[in-house]
Amino acid sequence: MKRILCSLLLLASIPAIAADYSVQPGSTIGFSGTFQGEAFTGQFKKFDATISYDPANLATSKLDVSVDISSIATGDSDRDNALPGGEFFSTAKFPKAHFISTAFRNDGNKVIADGTLTIKGVSKPVSLDVGFTPSGDGATLAVSTTLDRSDFNVGTGEYADTSTIGADVKVNAKLKLTAK
């Protein structure tokens, strides 16, 4: 009995390890903004993510997402042709955007992932609202934030005017996950 009790105490002292997940087809990373006062939406069709998440022990959770910027699609050919260019994303020089979490925390009734986002060679701290919904052997991870495009030098030259192209860009992702 003493041996069993010692074993249970030893197991209880081992910190929880976040579950590792792989991203499944049907996952999306999208965004919305305004052009001349009209709303538009878009998405990135290619991205990779490394995800470890434990809602009971957020300190062990990690999020690392790399987005292929050239996979951008808004449904408007003029905009889709302009966005990879030097005045917007400069995809020839900066083909990827990258977010890596530095910490997860509870903020009232929601979870926040703090981290660093790098776009167009500019790295800034960013906080993401996180929703995690377990389901069977997987889960859905939903994240959202609002970025100021000028913080990352997206939309320079004649496109820097925020009265034409709004400064705020809402980013949202819905990642369908399967436990590894």
Side-chain angles (χ1 to χ4, degrees), residues 70-155:
S70 67
S71 71
I72 196 167
T74 66
D76 179 281
S77 61
D78 290 338
R79 184 173 26 244
D80 290 350
N81 289 329
L83 289 173
E87 290 180 312
F88 289 99
F89 286 105
S90 299
T91 59
K93 187 173 181 181
F94 306 103
K96 304 260 185 209
H98 185 234
F99 175 84
I100 188 160
S101 64
T102 54
F104 280 74
R105 60 186 163 88
N106 280 308
D107 184 20
N109 61 354
K110 63 182 176 178
V111 173
I112 305 292
D114 295 314
T116 302
L117 177 63
T118 302
I119 299 174
K120 204 174 174 182
V122 177
S123 297
K124 298 276 185 180
V126 169
S127 295
L128 306 175
D129 290 344
V130 176
F132 183 80
T133 308
S135 174
D137 68 343
T140 299
L141 182 71
V143 299
S144 63
T145 193
T146 300
L147 305 173
D148 181 335
R149 67 180 176 86
S150 62
D151 286 348
F152 297 95
N153 298 322
V154 174

Side-chain angles (χ1 to χ4, degrees), residues 34 36-37 148-150 154-155 158-168:
T34 58
Q36 296 179 337
D148 181 335
R149 67 180 176 86
S150 62
V154 174
E158 69 179 284
Y159 303 107
D161 181 5
T162 59
S163 68
T164 303
I165 302 173
D168 288 345

